[in-house]
PDB file of all heavy atoms in Angstrom:
ATOM      1  N   GLU B 597      38.198 278.689 130.086  1.00 98.00           N
ATOM      2  CA  GLU B 597      39.556 279.201 130.252  1.00 98.00           C
ATOM      3  C   GLU B 597      40.564 278.274 129.560  1.00 98.00           C
ATOM      4  O   GLU B 597      41.761 278.521 129.597  1.00 98.00           O
ATOM      5  CB  GLU B 597      39.907 279.307 131.750  1.00 98.00           C
ATOM      6  CG  GLU B 597      39.036 280.300 132.515  1.00 98.00           C
ATOM      7  CD  GLU B 597      39.269 280.256 134.016  1.00 98.00           C
ATOM      8  OE1 GLU B 597      39.400 279.138 134.569  1.00 98.00           O
ATOM      9  OE2 GLU B 597      39.325 281.343 134.624  1.00 98.00           O
ATOM     10  N   PHE B 599      41.954 276.341 126.173  1.00 98.00           N
ATOM     11  CA  PHE B 599      42.005 276.422 124.714  1.00 98.00           C
ATOM     12  C   PHE B 599      42.733 275.183 124.208  1.00 98.00           C
ATOM     13  O   PHE B 599      43.932 275.015 124.443  1.00 98.00           O
ATOM     14  CB  PHE B 599      42.761 277.677 124.272  1.00 98.00           C
ATOM     15  CG  PHE B 599      42.058 278.953 124.659  1.00 98.00           C
ATOM     16  CD1 PHE B 599      42.231 279.494 125.924  1.00 98.00           C
ATOM     17  CD2 PHE B 599      41.211 279.596 123.767  1.00 98.00           C
ATOM     18  CE1 PHE B 599      41.578 280.671 126.296  1.00 98.00           C
ATOM     19  CE2 PHE B 599      40.552 280.769 124.128  1.00 98.00           C
ATOM     20  CZ  PHE B 599      40.735 281.299 125.397  1.00 98.00           C
ATOM     21  N   ILE B 739      49.763 281.735 132.942  1.00 98.00           N
ATOM     22  CA  ILE B 739      49.197 280.965 131.836  1.00 98.00           C
ATOM     23  C   ILE B 739      49.862 279.590 131.918  1.00 98.00           C
ATOM     24  O   ILE B 739      51.064 279.506 132.151  1.00 98.00           O
ATOM     25  CB  ILE B 739      49.520 281.620 130.479  1.00 98.00           C
ATOM     26  CG1 ILE B 739      48.640 282.852 130.264  1.00 98.00           C
ATOM     27  CG2 ILE B 739      49.349 280.625 129.320  1.00 98.00           C
ATOM     28  CD1 ILE B 739      48.965 283.633 128.985  1.00 98.00           C
ATOM     29  N   THR B 758      46.025 275.159 126.411  1.00 98.00           N
ATOM     30  CA  THR B 758      46.545 276.286 127.180  1.00 98.00           C
ATOM     31  C   THR B 758      45.436 276.792 128.082  1.00 98.00           C
ATOM     32  O   THR B 758      44.283 276.882 127.662  1.00 98.00           O
ATOM     33  CB  THR B 758      47.032 277.398 126.228  1.00 98.00           C
ATOM     34  OG1 THR B 758      48.239 276.959 125.601  1.00 98.00           O
ATOM     35  CG2 THR B 758      47.309 278.707 126.957  1.00 98.00           C
ATOM     36  N   VAL B 759      45.793 277.109 129.315  1.00 98.00           N
ATOM     37  CA  VAL B 759      44.835 277.676 130.267  1.00 98.00           C
ATOM     38  C   VAL B 759      45.164 279.147 130.469  1.00 98.00           C
ATOM     39  O   VAL B 759      46.313 279.506 130.745  1.00 98.00           O
ATOM     40  CB  VAL B 759      44.909 276.950 131.637  1.00 98.00           C
ATOM     41  CG1 VAL B 759      43.906 277.580 132.607  1.00 98.00           C
ATOM     42  CG2 VAL B 759      44.633 275.466 131.483  1.00 98.00           C
ATOM     43  N   VAL B 760      44.161 279.987 130.282  1.00 98.00           N
ATOM     44  CA  VAL B 760      44.317 281.416 130.569  1.00 98.00           C
ATOM     45  C   VAL B 760      43.229 281.785 131.569  1.00 98.00           C
ATOM     46  O   VAL B 760      42.051 281.841 131.222  1.00 98.00           O
ATOM     47  CB  VAL B 760      44.172 282.273 129.293  1.00 98.00           C
ATOM     48  CG1 VAL B 760      44.491 283.738 129.605  1.00 98.00           C
ATOM     49  CG2 VAL B 760      45.079 281.764 128.185  1.00 98.00           C
ATOM     50  N   PRO B 761      43.609 281.999 132.834  1.00 98.00           N
ATOM     51  CA  PRO B 761      42.579 282.278 133.842  1.00 98.00           C
ATOM     52  C   PRO B 761      41.956 283.653 133.651  1.00 98.00           C
ATOM     53  O   PRO B 761      42.605 284.590 133.181  1.00 98.00           O
ATOM     54  CB  PRO B 761      43.345 282.210 135.167  1.00 98.00           C
ATOM     55  CG  PRO B 761      44.652 281.569 134.848  1.00 98.00           C
ATOM     56  CD  PRO B 761      44.951 281.904 133.430  1.00 98.00           C
ATOM     57  N   GLU B 762      40.717 283.747 134.032  1.00 97.00           N
ATOM     58  CA  GLU B 762      40.004 285.018 133.901  1.00 97.00           C
ATOM     59  C   GLU B 762      40.620 286.129 134.743  1.00 97.00           C
ATOM     60  O   GLU B 762      40.514 287.300 134.401  1.00 97.00           O
ATOM     61  CB  GLU B 762      38.542 284.814 134.321  1.00 97.00           C
ATOM     62  CG  GLU B 762      37.765 284.037 133.289  1.00 97.00           C
ATOM     63  CD  GLU B 762      36.305 283.904 133.651  1.00 97.00           C
ATOM     64  OE1 GLU B 762      35.908 284.384 134.732  1.00 97.00           O
ATOM     65  OE2 GLU B 762      35.565 283.304 132.850  1.00 97.00           O
ATOM     66  N   LEU B 764      43.635 286.820 135.120  1.00 98.00           N
ATOM     67  CA  LEU B 764      44.903 287.313 134.579  1.00 98.00           C
ATOM     68  C   LEU B 764      44.635 288.564 133.751  1.00 98.00           C
ATOM     69  O   LEU B 764      43.910 288.530 132.768  1.00 98.00           O
ATOM     70  CB  LEU B 764      45.560 286.236 133.724  1.00 98.00           C
ATOM     71  CG  LEU B 764      46.969 286.535 133.192  1.00 98.00           C
ATOM     72  CD1 LEU B 764      47.951 286.710 134.334  1.00 98.00           C
ATOM     73  CD2 LEU B 764      47.433 285.414 132.267  1.00 98.00           C
ATOM     74  N   VAL B 772      43.378 289.096 129.728  1.00 98.00           N
ATOM     75  CA  VAL B 772      44.299 288.389 128.835  1.00 98.00           C
ATOM     76  C   VAL B 772      43.557 287.272 128.108  1.00 98.00           C
ATOM     77  O   VAL B 772      43.787 287.012 126.921  1.00 98.00           O
ATOM     78  CB  VAL B 772      45.500 287.838 129.632  1.00 98.00           C
ATOM     79  CG1 VAL B 772      46.448 287.042 128.720  1.00 98.00           C
ATOM     80  CG2 VAL B 772      46.264 288.967 130.316  1.00 98.00           C
ATOM     81  N   LEU B 773      42.644 286.644 128.801  1.00 98.00           N
ATOM     82  CA  LEU B 773      41.822 285.572 128.212  1.00 98.00           C
ATOM     83  C   LEU B 773      41.105 286.073 126.963  1.00 98.00           C
ATOM     84  O   LEU B 773      41.084 285.410 125.924  1.00 98.00           O
ATOM     85  CB  LEU B 773      40.805 285.101 129.254  1.00 98.00           C
ATOM     86  CG  LEU B 773      39.656 284.203 128.809  1.00 98.00           C
ATOM     87  CD1 LEU B 773      40.165 282.892 128.226  1.00 98.00           C
ATOM     88  CD2 LEU B 773      38.721 283.914 129.972  1.00 98.00           C
ATOM     89  N   TYR B 776      43.569 286.405 124.196  1.00 97.00           N
ATOM     90  CA  TYR B 776      44.047 285.116 123.711  1.00 97.00           C
ATOM     91  C   TYR B 776      42.989 284.448 122.848  1.00 97.00           C
ATOM     92  O   TYR B 776      43.289 283.820 121.834  1.00 97.00           O
ATOM     93  CB  TYR B 776      44.482 284.186 124.853  1.00 97.00           C
ATOM     94  CG  TYR B 776      45.251 282.979 124.322  1.00 97.00           C
ATOM     95  CD1 TYR B 776      46.467 283.158 123.672  1.00 97.00           C
ATOM     96  CD2 TYR B 776      44.746 281.692 124.420  1.00 97.00           C
ATOM     97  CE1 TYR B 776      47.176 282.085 123.152  1.00 97.00           C
ATOM     98  CE2 TYR B 776      45.444 280.601 123.903  1.00 97.00           C
ATOM     99  CZ  TYR B 776      46.656 280.808 123.272  1.00 97.00           C
ATOM    100  OH  TYR B 776      47.352 279.740 122.744  1.00 97.00           O
TER     101      TYR B 776
END
Side-chain angles (χ1 to χ4, degrees):
Chain B
E597 297 172 318
F599 295 84
I739 285 176
T758 288
V759 179
V760 186
E762 287 184 358
L764 186 62
V772 178
L773 168 61
Y776 192 63

